[in-house]
Amino acid sequence: MNNSLRTFWPVEICDPSGLRENPEHGKKNYETFGVMERGMTMIIDKGLGRNMFSDVIETASDYIDCLKFGFGTAPLYQTEILLYKINLAKQYGITVMPGGTLLETAVQQDVVSSFFNTISRLGFNSIEVSDGTIEMSRKKRTELIREGKQRGFRVFTEYGKKQSGSLIDADKLAYTMDADLEAGAEFITVEARESGIGIGIFDKDGECREEMIDNIIETVPDASKLLWEAPLKQQQAMLLRKFGSNVHLGNIQPTEVLALETMRRGLRQDTFELGVKEPSADDFCYII
């Protein structure tokens, strides 16, 4: 993306938080499909057409780190359109993965090897290992993570069941996270589906269960490796206020990427405090 127009704006206006444009915190690496210390934004694509998809990439690719083709949508595309979307995203340094439910289907249908061969040919560069719909042994989960790594994919895993009312058990998440990272996973996603209502860390109204979040943070081995699915604005705002601009957030709607980025930077009322500059000693007048 051509960022030359952004040079017209003072950096203090582009990023009041001082964390998203700061080179010390890293920008997206277009060659390695990753970021440094900058919080990731993962979007979920549930079936965007060619034109809308290219509009999203043209407008917001600087603020998209990972693209997930939701659940089992990937095989339903015409191959030419799927290849177009994968290749365009990768041109802009975006990590691209099929949904974890698709891999769960491959496990259930006993076609895991064919699944990996197919996504390799299509050009995906990441996978999500999950067991939100099926039961999966620890041994099988580890095998899938290791196979993904051996085949050259970035591996994200997901913890939590997709059934409505399912909660996050901090101790089980910590155990799963430790084993997943040991097997080669880079990040662990906290399940909330694409609705964010009545599941995981969110109650039936979509509000955050803060005590549960606090318990998770106190229990897991490395909270910086968590990616929180947070499809709703109030959820994103709460997690940003709690963890700061560079928390990893997922299941973001493609049309909401710029809106989320404004909240990360303190350019929206919901998180305006993230961009409030602390007064320095030079700002005070001392009378002796």
Side-chain angles (χ1 to χ4, degrees):
M1 177 182 289
N2 185 349
N3 294 323
S4 60
L5 289 178
R6 291 223 301 267
T7 62
F8 283 101
W9 297 95
V11 67
E12 294 84 359
I13 294 179
C14 289
D15 182 19
S17 75
L19 295 174
R20 302 295 285 175
E21 293 284 338
N22 187 340
E24 292 183 3
H25 292 271
K27 285 192 175 184
K28 186 164 59 179
N29 187 321
Y30 280 55
E31 296 181 356
T32 61
F33 300 97
V35 295
M36 294 169 65
E37 299 300 322
R38 196 182 80 168
M40 287 190 299
T41 294
M42 174 193 283
I43 66 170
I44 182 170
D45 182 348
K46 297 188 287 185
L48 294 181
R50 185 198 303 265
N51 293 336
M52 189 171 184
F53 185 82
S54 62
D55 286 345
V56 169
I57 297 299
E58 179 182 9
T59 304
S61 61
D62 273 358
Y63 317 114
I64 302 170
D65 302 288
C66 186
L67 161 68
K68 177 164 64 176
F69 286 83
F71 17 95
T73 56
L76 304 185
Y77 287 92
Q78 295 179 15
T79 303
E80 186 269 333
I81 296 177
L82 180 60
L83 289 172
Y84 170 82
K85 295 176 74 171
I86 292 171
N87 291 330
L88 182 63
K90 288 168 62 179
Q91 287 174 25
Y92 285 82
I94 298 171
T95 296
V96 187
M97 67 174 69
T101 303
L102 194 60
L103 178 52
E104 291 183 48
T105 302
V107 172
Q108 194 273 332
Q109 296 289 329
D110 196 23
V111 289
V112 170
S113 181
S114 295
F115 168 85
F116 277 114
N117 291 338
T118 300
I119 64 171
S120 293
R121 291 197 302 270
L122 289 169
F124 286 100
N125 54 13
S126 181
I127 62 167
E128 181 181 69
V129 177
S130 65
D131 57 3
T133 303
I134 66 173
E135 296 300 322
M136 184 184 298
S137 68
R138 178 66 253 176
K139 178 181 178 183
K140 185 64 176 179
R141 188 177 175 101
T142 297
E143 288 174 355
L144 293 172
I145 295 170
R146 288 177 176 170
E147 182 166 1
K149 291 294 291 183
Q150 290 170 359
R151 288 176 176 258
F153 295 105
R154 296 185 72 188
V155 178
F156 291 67
T157 62
E158 186 175 70
Y159 175 82
K161 293 296 183 182
K162 296 185 182 296
Q163 183 177 356
S164 179
S166 298
L167 302 176
I168 300 298
D169 184 302
D171 290 325
K172 291 181 179 178
L173 171 56
Y175 168 78
T176 300
M177 182 179 189
D178 192 53
D180 286 356
L181 293 174
E182 177 67 24
E186 294 185 36
F187 295 94
I188 289 76
T189 301
V190 180
E191 175 68 72
R193 304 204 68 178
E194 73 276 12
S195 67
I197 296 175
I199 188 169
I201 63 171
F202 304 119
D203 65 20
K204 62 181 178 60
D205 298 315
E207 298 298 329
C208 297
R209 295 183 170 107
E210 292 200 49
E211 288 186 8
M212 182 180 292
I213 296 172
D214 290 337
N215 191 25
I216 290 171
I217 298 306
E218 293 171 1
T219 307
V220 297
D222 186 356
S224 70
K225 295 293 186 181
L226 291 175
L227 188 154
W228 306 86
E229 289 187 344
L232 303 181
K233 186 190 82 167
Q234 72 265 27
Q235 300 166 352
Q236 298 158 15
M238 180 272 172
L239 291 168
L240 286 164
R241 289 193 297 266
K242 189 172 189 65
F243 297 112
S245 298
N246 285 315
V247 63
H248 305 308
L249 298 175
N251 276 11
I252 307 303
Q253 294 301 314
T255 55
E256 294 294 318
V257 173
L258 287 180
L260 170 59
E261 189 64 27
T262 62
M263 287 201 291
R264 287 189 182 276
R265 296 171 181 235
L267 287 169
R268 193 171 180 176
Q269 183 275 333
D270 309 83
T271 57
F272 195 78
E273 64 267 29
L274 296 179
V276 174
K277 183 180 178 182
E278 293 292 333
S280 66
D282 293 338
D283 295 326
F284 293 94
C285 177
Y286 296 92
I287 299 176
I288 301 176

